[in-house]
Amino acid sequence: MSDRLANSPVILRDGSTANLYLARPQHRGTLLSFFERLSPTARYRRFFFETSPPEFLVADMCDASDARRQVTLFIGREDQQRLHVLAVGSYEQKDSQAVEVSFAVDDEYHGRGLGTILLERLAFLAHEHGFTRLWAVTQPDNLAMRQVFQESGLAVHERYGGDEMEVEIELTPPGPEATKSDLRERVATVASLRPLFHPRSIAVIGASRHPERIGAQVLAALLAAPFTGLVYPVNPQAAELQGRRAYRSVGDVPGPVDLAVLVVPPLQILPVVEACGTASVRTLIVITSGFAEVGADGASLQDRLLHKVRDYGMRMIGPNCFGVVNTEPSVRLNATFTSNFPPAGRVAMSSQSGAIGLALLAAAHRLQVGISSFVSVGNKADVSVNDLLQYWEEDSATDVILLYVESFGNPRRFARIARRVARSKPIIAVKAGRSQAGRRAAGSHTAALAAPETAVDALFHQSGVMRAETLEDLFALASLLSNQPLPAGRRVGVLTNAGGPAILCADACESAGLVVPELSRDTKAQLARFTPAAAALKNPVDLIASATSEQYRDAIDALLGADEIDALIVLYVSVSPTMTEPIAGGIQTGIQRARAAGASRKPVLLVWMAEGDLDRRFTVDHELIPTFNLPERPAIVLGKAATYEEWRRQPLGHVSDCGQLDLVPAREVCTTALASRGSGWLTAEETRSVLTSFRFPLVDGGVARTEDEASVIAEEIGFPVVMKVVSREIVHKTEVGGVRLNLVDNAQVRTAYRDIQRALKDLNKSESFEGVLVQPMLTGGVEVMVGVTHDPSFGPLVAFGLGGIHVEILKDISFRIAPLTDRDAQEMIRAIKGYRLLEGYRGHPPADIAALQDTLLRVSHLVEEIAAIQELDLNPIFALPPGQGCRIVDARIRVGE
């Protein structure tokens, strides 16, 4: 079994933390002590006898060698170098499809969600190893355990049998379970982070008397904000720091401490964290560097730090971080080493880089972005971006979320959380490191086409995250989304007093997927009443250089009131310094009038190119108008906002289970091949077996290893036929002469067989020859492909595009991360430029789009169910006319660890 369950974190319902362990032989004594410590009632509910279990039974529970036979998990914390167990859960195989589950929870820890956590993890493992049901026996009066089952989100069936109750839990479909699990996780995460953002008291451990040191700067920043709670400097060498009494250790602080900021040398971190845990500190910010970012020794120290933090049930930001800010007036927290406290607002921000975070906070004033809270996550050893998203989802002070990301710890969890959060709060991200994301070398079409950052783009698209290319774009989007309504559509009005900048703006709008429509007759007539005769009224509306403040005012009023406009970009290029102030007043009055007349749901953006006055801020009745100095940027951010609003309005997709599929033989083929031969491509027969189990629409035919076998298969399926070389090493069959088309009789079949063998011999590839695949000759339809490559971080990446030889020439392909929803499948097909061929083009019939969507969903389901599949290519697939489905002509599957 994978070691990913060893010492993985869990958050309890009260917001404290612990670790999840896979029971192994070295844990036998620890578990035996746990069961001996339980009350007789708790032992009876677990074992149906009140005495302690025999040692051989506990030893068997700690055997992790065969996850099909049994698995035991436990949740624990280390206390004084001793592992303290809080709860234990196990499953044992009952039959080929079901496992029996059982649980025991420490009497002092009931009601903290431990049974629910164990049930969810056991259900996941059981499903991963091919089981479809959980089964349990409990007492009817064991209401706590029955509630755990009922709240799992899975289908639960209870049956009474005398004094006992049998409970059966179906492991499919997984959707409802994920929803309830997400809710529990969110509640626990928010509870665990609240002391970080709303502490009542803070201890600065490592506070210094030297102003140039970070410990002194953190203390100064807290006091300057000023923090509304209690601040305790901790320094064993000082009695007083910056006018506050100092304490020798956190244990000497006279009251409870919600948050400790650690600025001590790396080698002092572990004893300081131990002291914090003993003093019941709830959260930590570890600013100290020298951990995983410096190499193996630092990574080892970071692992020990995290282990100790979790053992005491604390949460931690960092290490190697810049700190945390909360501008809420009742808190005013600046637990960083900069005195630059940002303006209060509705934008939350996370940065993986301390230097970038420092720059962003410093730029918040200049870029007109008000901050609700800020977190520098540093090495993300404990609190991650995923945790922060869940906190900000529930934070009433936050409307928009900004992320500076360099890497993803758990991108699939990020996608699940972000997809939910982005429905109500926009998420904007800058992902750094584009040039560092390399491609894994592989032999499939799909892997060859999965360019760097493909997975990141797919992740953001599926989860509704807006990707900003630069930090400037990040703040520009934040300014728009935190101050203006989202556009209802893509139609943009452009108002200017100079033609050149307006043309650049209009071009940028088109590039951003926006539309600059010609105005209606009524709108033009309204504009003509007050504009000069030389004005251009088609859109962009050019008031010419002599434009007055009144003309700007009335034109803004008219354009925002026009039904054919969803958003307005106003440009002004200064002609005379004396006109700057009046024009600014006219613009503000025009917006004010239009808002009062009902145009409240249309965003307004301003390009202010007035030399000597470039920093002007425009506010209309507390509404900030995002202002830029160049004409292209408003179009860029407005295009991203329009795309986000379209994503948000669409219904959520759902993951299909693809009906009743025969998972067991497909999984056995892959695991057997992997165990016997190691990583590599499946044989043609193995591939067809896997695909048949999942009911893929394969073309008839078979593999022949002699001329006679090829002749027999051809006779059975009927002429004409196609013959292709079968080889786990050859990807491009046509390049080695391994394909023969339109064979109309047995003589041609036999000749083609010999020709293929001869071609491979001439290329010194005879050892690669495993036979030939004989199939009927298909005509008509459109050739497409579906593929999968496995990204080490993101998991299965599914591809769709035109098939045959076109896929690598045209590179017209779309990618999404599995699992796919029905909406993902629809979007993938429609995203390629070749979609026009699938719609029907110049007399060619359209393709069966529904059949292609079903194939995509089956591929997604296959690679989710069978983790051993690392690459897959279905190419070509013949997409036939509507109602006729599609046919997979060629397929390759690669398995690996």
Side-chain angles (χ1 to χ4, degrees), residues 658 660-663 666 686-700 786-788 798 851-864 866 869 872-874 877 885-891 893:
C658 299
Q660 294 298 317
L661 302 176
D662 201 354
L663 304 179
E686 290 168 340
T687 298
R688 289 182 70 86
S689 176
V690 170
L691 297 179
T692 300
S693 296
F694 271 69
R695 301 183 181 178
F696 281 94
L698 295 170
V699 171
D700 293 335
V786 173
V788 174
V798 184
L852 294 178
Q853 291 176 186
D854 180 74
T855 299
L856 278 167
L857 293 174
R858 286 181 189 276
V859 165
S860 171
H861 193 54
L862 170 65
V863 296
E864 282 289 297
I866 305 179
I869 296 177
L872 175 148
D873 264 327
L874 308 180
I877 303 172
C886 61
R887 297 291 183 272
I888 299 170
V889 175
D890 204 353
I893 294 176

Side-chain angles (χ1 to χ4, degrees), residues 781-826:
V782 180
E783 291 187 30
V784 299
M785 63 82 63
V786 173
V788 174
T789 184
H790 193 278
D791 185 278
S793 298
F794 293 82
L797 193 62
V798 184
F800 175 83
L802 294 179
I805 63 173
H806 302 101
V807 61
E808 291 181 2
I809 295 175
L810 301 178
K811 293 182 172 58
D812 182 17
I813 195 164
S814 60
F815 285 92
R816 297 290 186 272
I817 296 170
L820 301 183
T821 65
D822 54 349
R823 175 176 161 185
D824 291 328
Q826 293 169 10

Side-chain angles (χ1 to χ4, degrees), residues 456-532:
V456 175
D457 285 334
L459 173 73
F460 286 167
H461 177 87
Q462 287 172 267
S463 52
V465 174
M466 287 168 277
R467 185 168 191 173
E469 306 304 318
T470 65
L471 294 177
E472 198 79 17
D473 285 343
L474 182 79
F475 268 107
L477 272 164
S479 179
L480 171 64
L481 296 171
S482 60
N483 295 296
Q484 293 290 307
L486 287 163
R490 292 184 170 271
R491 302 169 303 171
V492 181
V494 179
L495 176 65
T496 184
N497 70 330
I503 293 171
L504 291 174
C505 182
D507 289 345
C509 285
E510 296 284 352
S511 298
L514 301 169
V515 179
V516 183
E518 186 167 342
L519 300 177
S520 68
R521 183 179 302 175
D522 289 345
T523 303
K524 288 180 182 177
Q526 186 178 355
L527 291 168
R529 296 190 189 108
F530 55 82
T531 53

Side-chain angles (χ1 to χ4, degrees), residues 132 189 466 646 672 851:
T132 60
T189 299
M466 287 168 277
E646 289 172 352
T672 300

